[in-house]
Amino acid sequence: SCLLVFALTKPITMLAGMEPASAKLCFFMISFITIVKPVSWVLSFIPPYGMRAAGDVKFSMITSCCTMWLCRVSLCIYLCRVWGFGPIAVWIGMFSDWTLRAIIFSIRFHSRKWLLKNDDIPFCDLPLHIDPKYNIMPSPDHLPMDHNIQPAFH
């Protein structure tokens, strides 16, 4: 979708009759998001969705709020007031927010701590543990003794 919007930017700005300076800024901003979004956005939003679904809600919410205020709001105000940036300051703030989230959520995802956050999942009544090969399974203490668990794939 980014490439489609990028390809249509020049024709749309010409059809809309934009001033050359505005059209140039628009094209620059669209070029910027076409490069940054596929890399940063995916890593900053998809892993937290999965971690929230697994019950790791608090970490995702706190991280998202902190990076938003730190990058989107504070950085944007700083770039506009101190350095005189225009509308691109908003995009720089947004992209820095996405990048910082991507770094933090990637570290959290690879640490696997989010796998142990199952307290908020109503249908998960068994404590879970992670075996050395990172397979998630019910804790052995909570399995019936006569129940023989076979692996799903042989």
Side-chain angles (χ1 to χ4, degrees):
S1 67
C2 288
L3 290 176
L4 178 64
V5 171
F6 179 76
L8 295 174
T9 301
K10 280 217 183 217
I12 290 173
T13 56
M14 289 171 42
L15 286 173
M18 291 178 76
E19 295 290 327
S22 298
K24 184 178 177 183
L25 178 62
C26 178
F27 187 73
F28 175 71
M29 291 173 71
I30 294 296
S31 301
F32 202 26
I33 198 167
T34 302
I35 295 166
V36 176
K37 188 175 182 181
V39 176
S40 292
W41 187 91
V42 171
L43 290 174
S44 63
F45 286 93
I46 303 302
Y49 292 159
M51 290 187 285
R52 278 193 295 266
D56 194 15
V57 177
K58 188 185 287 185
F59 180 84
S60 296
M61 186 179 78
I62 291 171
T63 301
S64 297
C65 288
C66 289
T67 60
M68 179 195 64
W69 282 102
L70 178 69
C71 297
R72 287 190 192 216
V73 178
S74 302
L75 181 61
C76 180
I77 291 171
Y78 173 77
L79 290 174
C80 288
R81 291 194 177 172
V82 175
W83 294 100
F85 278 54
I88 196 70
V90 176
W91 289 51
I92 292 171
M94 181 175 63
F95 296 151
S96 62
D97 175 27
W98 290 351
T99 303
L100 187 57
R101 282 185 199 198
I103 292 167
I104 293 169
F105 289 136
S106 293
I107 291 169
R108 177 73 168 188
F109 183 81
H110 289 291
S111 76
R112 305 185 75 81
K113 289 181 183 176
W114 61 276
L115 291 171
L116 303 175
K117 302 285 184 179
N118 66 339
D119 299 337
D120 297 332
I121 303 175
F123 56 82
C124 187
D125 58 351
L126 294 175
L128 299 177
H129 83 281
I130 303 171
D131 74 1
K133 293 183 182 178
Y134 296 112
N135 294 318
I136 304 170
M137 53 195 333
S139 180
D141 302 342
H142 293 85
L143 292 175
M145 295 303 286
D146 60 343
H147 190 343
N148 187 6
I149 296 179
Q150 296 295 323
F153 300 102
H154 300 271

